[in-house]
Amino acid sequence: MIGFRLIEALEAAGGPVTLKDLAAAAGMPPSRAHAYLASLRAVGLVTQEEEGGRYDLGPRALSLGLAALGRLEVREAALGAMRAFRDDTGEAVHLSVWSGQSPVIVSRLDGRRGGSLSIRLGFALPLDRSASGHIFLAFLPEAVATGRALAREVELVRRRGIAVTGGLLNTGFAALSVPVFNHAGDLAAAMTTLGAAGHIDISPDGPTARRLRAAGEAASAALGYGVREPSKPKPKAKPEREKKPPRR
């Protein structure tokens, strides 16, 4: 689509652009660009300043971008690791992502153990009373812990790399949660297992915790975390010449 070239040019510009500069960036005459921009403005993909007349991306472009983010590739990236954890331990596991104010559950796999607690998709988890929330407090800069006791717990989570809660959110249930990082090293999600207290091993160094850590690491690797450019092979050293015995 020719008009999409204008969208791409606006995206690359990073701010409001004049018609002349925008047309040049899109590789078309200003008159033609103006006609396309009128159509893009009509559907909200482009906006125009009242003073100066410069163009920028509109609210519809933002909502489309957010909708694309809403597909959350992290769900697909983490699914294999979540399934492996569930099949290996029999425990339920769910994935939550940051909504702007709190973690929200976007994926879940039920365990083989029966339980009366139903975790529903779209449920917003409290930051202070959930293992998932503690992961976001520990590894997401915009999530802020309030209170000294919570701040100390968050620091412990940050050092351990795992959050453990028992009965904070639901009486009789305990949870373990680990971070999932993206290719840039930023927190992408929290992977959490939840079960009846006394039936799920919540030791931070226990077998369930080790398997959950491995699942979190596998999901992070699927998102590109820790992937580095291959190092260039070192040049082979030249073989040393055989030294001749000194003359006598």
Side-chain angles (χ1 to χ4, degrees), residues 133-145:
H134 288 185
I135 288 295
F136 281 91
L137 285 172
F139 297 102
L140 190 71
E142 53 260 49
V144 180

Side-chain angles (χ1 to χ4, degrees), residues 205-218:
D205 298 314
T208 302
R210 288 197 299 270
R211 290 182 174 93
L212 188 62
R213 289 178 194 272
E217 291 169 0

Side-chain angles (χ1 to χ4, degrees), residues 123-203:
F123 180 71
L125 296 159
L127 282 171
D128 58 341
R129 293 183 296 113
S130 67
S132 303
H134 288 185
I135 288 295
F136 281 91
L137 285 172
F139 297 102
L140 190 71
E142 53 260 49
V144 180
T146 56
R148 292 183 180 179
L150 181 57
R152 287 195 297 268
E153 176 62 26
V154 168
E155 181 57 33
L156 181 61
V157 171
R158 191 176 292 115
R159 292 201 308 267
R160 285 177 171 175
I162 190 168
V164 181
T165 58
L168 284 182
L169 182 58
N170 301 101
T171 303
F173 284 84
L176 295 163
S177 186
V178 296
V180 175
F181 298 105
N182 63 19
H183 68 283
D186 300 322
L187 184 68
M191 188 182 296
T192 306
T193 183
L194 178 72
H199 292 280
I200 183 173
D201 179 6
I202 60 171
S203 169

Side-chain angles (χ1 to χ4, degrees), residues 53-84:
R54 294 184 299 177
Y55 293 90
D56 203 351
L57 291 174
R60 181 59 178 163
L62 176 61
S63 65
L64 287 174
L66 291 174
L69 289 176
R71 303 296 188 269
L72 296 171
E73 68 174 5
V74 65
R75 288 183 297 187
E76 294 184 6
L79 183 58
M82 291 171 64
R83 187 177 289 122

Side-chain angles (χ1 to χ4, degrees), residues 66-143:
L66 291 174
L69 289 176
R71 303 296 188 269
L72 296 171
E73 68 174 5
V74 65
R75 288 183 297 187
E76 294 184 6
L79 183 58
M82 291 171 64
R83 187 177 289 122
F85 172 84
R86 188 272 312 273
D87 294 346
D88 191 26
T89 65
E91 305 291 355
V93 60
H94 64 262
L95 194 76
S96 58
V97 301
W98 186 245
S99 69
Q101 294 181 327
S102 63
V104 173
I105 297 174
V106 295
S107 180
R108 76 171 211 190
L109 292 175
D110 294 330
R112 292 194 297 267
R113 302 175 188 269
S116 59
L117 182 64
S118 175
I119 296 296
R120 69 179 187 273
L121 297 180
F123 180 71
L125 296 159
L127 282 171
D128 58 341
R129 293 183 296 113
S130 67
S132 303
H134 288 185
I135 288 295
F136 281 91
L137 285 172
F139 297 102
L140 190 71
E142 53 260 49

